Amino acid sequence: GIPGAISPSTGLVKNANTVCLIGQAFQQDLEDILNCNVRIANDADCFVLSEAIDGSGQGARSVFGVIIGTGCGGGLVINQQLVGGPNAICGEWGHNPLPWAEDNELLLPCYCGKQGCIETFLSGPGFTQHANKLAGEDKSMNSAKGWHERLLNKDPQAILAFDRYTRQLAKALASVINIVDPEVIVLGGGMSNIDFIYQKTAEILPEYIFSDQVLTKLVKAQHGDSSGVRGAAFLAQ
């Protein structure tokens, strides 16, 4: 499981936020060194495959998996089968613009070359930058973990930052639900460990989803940081 994907046209890595991989024949290099066939998929695809087979999405016909960590990836599994596509980008919701953006929302540059991608709002580093801008330099933190600690201590600035984050997360997930309508959305990555976001985001979702009810379940990954590795192993099946 790797960030980004193998380009179907060139066989080289593309779209990786570990930018040193971009343009490299990573799969071929591994196969040459190991002298065997190597299966490679996007790390978020591996994550959702694991959770759909025997994790928090087990038993659901459709599962969308979301990584909100150092980056913001996604993947889709239907009937326990990973969904691909001709461009090898299925689930790359993090590089769409944040829907229903507000005038006061700062558009940060993304490594992909655009501004205001969902990743720049919902990844751990993206959240931290926005929270620091909101709080001011004298109250800034070095990481999302620091902001979470302040949230647990009921710091007003942290509550405001996470209230805004959950609304942004709800907007971004609503655009996925309006298109795919999955039974389950599983969250993984560092930001997914913040329990506050689950109930709060679920409360906001109905404001943005084109339906009279929202039955999609929003859940935390059962296998945590191990899901990507487990999903990569499932690729061999």
Side-chain angles (χ1 to χ4, degrees):
I2 65 167
I6 305 297
S7 169
S9 59
T10 67
L12 307 179
V13 176
K14 65 174 183 176
N15 299 346
N17 66 356
T18 304
V19 294
C20 62
L21 290 175
I22 294 176
Q24 301 298 317
F26 189 65
Q27 183 171 10
Q28 188 62 53
D29 289 345
L30 281 179
E31 290 182 340
D32 291 345
I33 292 169
L34 298 173
N35 195 29
C36 67
N37 292 329
V38 175
R39 295 289 302 276
I40 284 182
N42 174 264
D43 50 5
D45 286 345
C46 294
F47 162 80
V48 67
L49 185 60
S50 167
E51 291 296 323
I53 289 177
D54 65 357
S56 293
Q58 185 176 10
R61 290 173 296 177
S62 54
V63 182
F64 190 77
V66 166
I67 299 286
I68 39 177
T70 55
C72 189
L76 178 64
V77 167
I78 304 291
N79 294 325
Q80 296 195 341
Q81 297 295 313
L82 192 61
V83 178
N87 303 300
I89 56 170
C90 183
E92 286 290 1
W93 71 308
H95 293 281
N96 291 316
L98 183 71
W100 302 285
E102 298 174 12
D103 292 339
N104 63 346
E105 283 176 326
L106 180 66
L107 301 183
L108 298 175
C110 182
Y111 80 90
C112 73
K114 295 182 173 60
Q115 287 187 320
C117 290
I118 287 171
E119 178 165 313
T120 67
F121 291 95
L122 299 184
S123 67
F127 164 79
T128 302
Q129 287 190 65
H130 283 283
N132 287 346
K133 290 286 186 181
L134 184 67
E137 188 173 334
D138 59 327
K139 294 186 177 180
S140 65
M141 302 294 292
N142 293 327
S143 66
K145 183 178 179 180
W147 276 104
H148 184 213
E149 291 172 355
R150 288 175 61 173
L151 176 68
L152 295 176
N153 291 324
K154 303 189 185 310
D155 177 82
Q157 290 284 354
I159 293 171
L160 181 61
F162 278 100
D163 278 345
R164 186 173 65 170
Y165 180 83
T166 51
R167 181 161 295 275
Q168 292 166 340
L169 179 59
K171 291 176 180 180
L173 293 180
S175 64
V176 173
I177 296 172
N178 283 340
I179 296 171
V180 180
D181 200 13
E183 292 183 11
V184 176
I185 293 177
V186 183
L187 303 186
M191 297 297 288
S192 75
N193 295 318
I194 299 171
D195 292 335
F196 174 87
I197 68 176
Y198 292 89
Q199 182 178 346
K200 189 72 174 179
T201 302
E203 291 172 357
I204 300 170
L205 274 173
E207 297 180 34
Y208 299 100
I209 293 176
F210 189 59
S211 177
D212 61 342
Q213 57 184 352
V214 181
L215 300 179
T216 300
K217 296 178 181 177
L218 183 63
V219 297
K220 184 188 295 187
Q222 180 176 326
H223 299 295
D225 292 339
S226 297
S227 251
V229 177
R230 298 175 83 261
F234 281 129
L235 293 175
Q237 299 180 1

